[in-house]
Amino acid sequence: MTAPSLQRWAVRIEYDGRPFVGWQRQITGLSVQQVLEEAASRLASGRVVPSITAGRTDAGVHATGQAAHLDFPGDVRLNDSTVRDALNFHMKPYPVAVLRACPVDTEWSARFSAIRRSYRYRILNRRSRPTLDDGRVWLVKRTLDEAAMARAARLLLGRHDFTSFRASACQARSPLRTLDRLGVVRQGEEIVIEAEARSFLHHQVRNMVGTLKLVGEGLWAPDRVAAALAACDRRAAGPTAPPDGLYLTGVGYDPDPF
Amino acid sequence: MTAPSLQRWAVRIEYDGRPFVGWQRQITGLSVQQVLEEAASRLASGRVVPSITAGRTDAGVHATGQAAHLDFPGDVRLNDSTVRDALNFHMKPYPVAVLRACPVDTEWSARFSAIRRSYRYRILNRRSRPTLDDGRVWLVKRTLDEAAMARAARLLLGRHDFTSFRASACQARSPLRTLDRLGVVRQGEEIVIEAEARSFLHHQVRNMVGTLKLVGEGLWAPDRVAAALAACDRRAAGPTAPPDGLYLTGVGYDPDPF
């Protein structure tokens, strides 16, 4: 019997996005993908171990629940805890960690099998700049009205053409998306926005947050968000919120391999 | 009329302890005190502005609610928001921020008027090393029994001789302290310990946490903590937990000047 040609492993990943050019490999600097694949290559005697991710996060965006899969050569001996611990060992000192690793069928794809993506956006709403959370929140000094933001957020729920909230560089074929959740709550000095959908357009969460911030500041009435959505024109919505406050918190699968 | 000889200002401060040798000025490196006093000196045309703090945190210990007072020369014109914003401006790029500033009577002391100190200790209880919270939690890989830790913690409440939990370098005259709160709860992958007292001995919180960790790992029965306390001998208690997970979260005053 010959060994299978490849072994696919699903990994749940956490990272601090600050030092990276983003998930995807780029010639301009270090990516999370490069750190992960080079560590995986160390387990495969230096052979290439390609990865596919559920969400190609931008530079400076963080993850607490990213998912990806790795295709190891078939002859490498692997088990759940050695994959997790060995990848973590080889990814030092970079702020990337594998939380869980499990073997999956090669039919399974971290990207195409995903049925839900969850993001959190943290706004620090106070006068003083962040210290412990520098680079990990968006500082907004003017007091935000979180109830108005929550009302506006509800107008974006459901299936819509989200062209107004889509980056010009977005490569998705359709601007139609179904937004299942967009919650806004205050937690002390922070405004926390939770977004959930099967998938998002490029910059969609950050563009929605940048628009909700205008509502929170009182510059926009909540209803204007519905008008911006209906315009199907990027110029009708607010600016893009910075990457600092954005976290990919989870990717859902059915069944969940983790 | 002559100007008053000095103006005392109370400040509420947040900092990331990682880059500092601790609160107190030392020749070995940069302290939070030096960053604060040098910023204050910029508001006073370069004159010395001494500070007194409520809690001289150790190297690597963080604060979300530190308190201090600053003595400015009497002739400097100051108001609440200029003191806060100007200090924050001059403390850049260090991860120290003034959250609030208010004038106080010279009878008031950040140290001696304090009637309560609150600390939080965060243990990350999982196999994978921290990424977003590197240097800001204590990683404990073995699964901790938080219920046993909470039972043990209750044995330390009240007024006791805390010699067993006191650093040998501690300069307090008496080892007697009244521990008002020592709560242990699990929040997902974290064990969070909240401690509250009028004042603490040097390393008391970290020594209590290091001991509770032994209980959580099942190496100590909860009752052994009572025996360690009764021994009045530092060697009877557990090791000192690292500074990474410790946060000074608040200092209480009556009346509260902030």
Side-chain angles (χ1 to χ4, degrees):
Chain A
M1 253 176 67
T2 54
S5 61
L6 68 83
Q7 304 169 263
R8 182 163 288 179
W9 281 70
V11 286
R12 181 75 77 188
I13 306 169
E14 178 186 282
Y15 49 86
D16 180 342
R18 281 177 293 182
F20 300 109
V21 295
W23 173 271
Q24 200 158 25
R25 275 179 188 267
Q26 285 181 242
I27 53 165
T28 52
L30 191 68
S31 61
V32 181
Q33 182 179 26
Q34 183 181 343
V35 168
L36 177 67
E37 291 180 356
E38 287 184 357
S41 174
R42 301 284 288 272
L43 311 194
S45 314
R47 285 171 285 175
V48 170
V49 179
S51 72
I52 296 289
T53 182
R56 283 168 294 172
T57 52
D58 285 311
V61 174
H62 317 290
T64 58
Q66 172 70 287
H69 71 245
L70 290 161
D71 285 334
F72 288 95
D75 61 340
V76 183
R77 294 214 180 159
L78 302 167
N79 70 52
D80 300 19
S81 64
T82 56
V83 170
R84 182 196 59 203
D85 295 345
L87 288 174
N88 285 335
F89 178 80
H90 290 300
M91 291 195 294
K92 274 186 208 167
Y94 299 108
V96 183
V98 170
L99 305 181
R100 263 174 290 287
C102 53
V104 289
D105 196 277
T106 52
E107 301 293 294
W108 189 90
S109 162
R111 181 172 178 196
F112 295 107
S113 303
I115 56 168
R116 196 178 58 252
R117 272 97 173 166
S118 307
Y119 285 91
R120 176 175 301 135
Y121 198 99
R122 296 172 58 194
I123 296 175
L124 181 63
N125 188 32
R126 70 178 191 193
R127 295 285 312 171
S128 306
R129 61 189 167 73
T131 64
L132 282 155
D133 285 325
D134 187 32
R136 308 175 356 147
V137 292
W138 182 19
L139 176 65
V140 173
K141 293 189 176 185
R142 198 188 299 198
T143 303
L144 296 172
D145 177 350
E146 69 274 14
M149 294 170 74
R151 276 200 306 281
R154 282 194 289 275
L155 302 173
L156 296 172
L157 291 179
R159 185 162 179 80
H160 304 286
D161 178 331
F162 279 98
T163 295
S164 300
F165 298 92
R166 174 188 195 174
S168 56
C170 182
Q171 289 168 19
R173 263 175 300 186
S174 164
L176 287 171
R177 288 292 183 276
T178 302
L179 183 61
D180 296 313
R181 186 178 175 210
L182 191 63
V184 182
V185 293
R186 177 176 287 277
Q187 294 175 359
E189 290 181 325
E190 283 191 24
I191 305 283
V192 179
I193 298 166
E194 303 269 5
E196 220 173 275
R198 183 178 190 94
S199 67
F200 289 92
L201 299 167
H202 192 199
H203 281 183
Q204 187 183 341
V205 176
R206 287 164 60 186
N207 289 339
M208 293 191 301
V209 169
T211 305
L212 292 179
K213 178 230 186 200
L214 298 175
V215 174
E217 290 180 319
L219 300 172
W220 278 35
D223 283 351
R224 188 164 163 191
V225 172
L229 177 67
C232 292
D233 180 342
R234 178 68 191 93
R235 294 166 297 182
T240 308
D244 311 53
L246 187 59
Y247 297 72
L248 175 55
T249 53
V251 183
Y253 300 96
D254 186 20
D256 187 342
F258 293 105
Chain B
M1 253 175 68
T2 54
S5 60
L6 67 86
Q7 305 170 263
R8 181 163 291 180
W9 282 70
V11 286
R12 180 74 78 188
I13 306 169
E14 180 187 279
Y15 50 85
D16 181 342
R18 281 177 292 183
F20 300 109
V21 295
W23 173 272
Q24 201 158 22
R25 276 180 188 268
Q26 286 182 241
I27 53 165
T28 53
L30 191 67
S31 62
V32 181
Q33 182 178 28
Q34 183 182 344
V35 168
L36 176 68
E37 290 179 357
E38 287 184 357
S41 174
R42 302 283 288 272
L43 311 195
S45 313
R47 285 171 286 174
V48 170
V49 180
S51 72
I52 296 288
T53 183
R56 285 168 293 172
T57 53
D58 285 311
V61 173
H62 318 290
T64 59
Q66 173 69 288
H69 71 245
L70 290 159
D71 285 334
F72 288 94
D75 61 340
V76 182
R77 293 215 180 160
L78 302 167
N79 69 52
D80 301 18
S81 64
T82 57
V83 169
R84 183 195 59 202
D85 295 345
L87 288 174
N88 286 335
F89 177 80
H90 291 300
M91 290 195 294
K92 275 185 209 166
Y94 300 106
V96 183
V98 169
L99 305 181
R100 264 174 290 286
C102 53
V104 288
D105 196 277
T106 51
E107 301 293 295
W108 189 91
S109 162
R111 181 171 178 198
F112 296 107
S113 303
I115 56 167
R116 196 177 57 252
R117 273 95 172 167
S118 307
Y119 285 91
R120 177 176 301 134
Y121 198 99
R122 296 172 58 195
I123 296 175
L124 181 62
N125 189 30
R126 71 179 190 193
R127 294 286 311 172
S128 306
R129 60 189 168 73
T131 65
L132 282 154
D133 285 324
D134 187 32
R136 309 177 353 151
V137 290
W138 182 20
L139 176 65
V140 174
K141 294 190 175 184
R142 199 188 298 198
T143 304
L144 295 173
D145 176 350
E146 69 274 15
M149 293 170 74
R151 275 200 306 281
R154 281 195 288 275
L155 302 173
L156 296 172
L157 292 178
R159 185 160 179 80
H160 304 286
D161 178 332
F162 279 99
T163 295
S164 300
F165 298 92
R166 174 188 195 174
S168 56
C170 181
Q171 288 167 19
R173 263 175 302 185
S174 164
L176 286 171
R177 288 295 182 274
T178 302
L179 183 61
D180 295 314
R181 186 179 175 209
L182 190 63
V184 182
V185 293
R186 177 175 287 278
Q187 294 177 359
E189 290 182 324
E190 282 190 24
I191 306 283
V192 179
I193 298 165
E194 304 269 4
E196 221 172 274
R198 185 177 187 96
S199 67
F200 289 92
L201 299 167
H202 192 200
H203 282 183
Q204 186 183 343
V205 176
R206 288 164 61 187
N207 290 338
M208 293 191 300
V209 169
T211 304
L212 293 178
K213 178 231 186 198
L214 298 175
V215 173
E217 290 181 318
L219 299 173
W220 277 34
D223 282 351
R224 187 163 165 191
V225 172
L229 177 66
C232 292
D233 179 345
R234 178 69 192 92
R235 293 165 297 179
T240 308
D244 311 53
L246 187 60
Y247 298 73
L248 174 55
T249 54
V251 183
Y253 299 96
D254 185 21
D256 187 343
F258 294 106

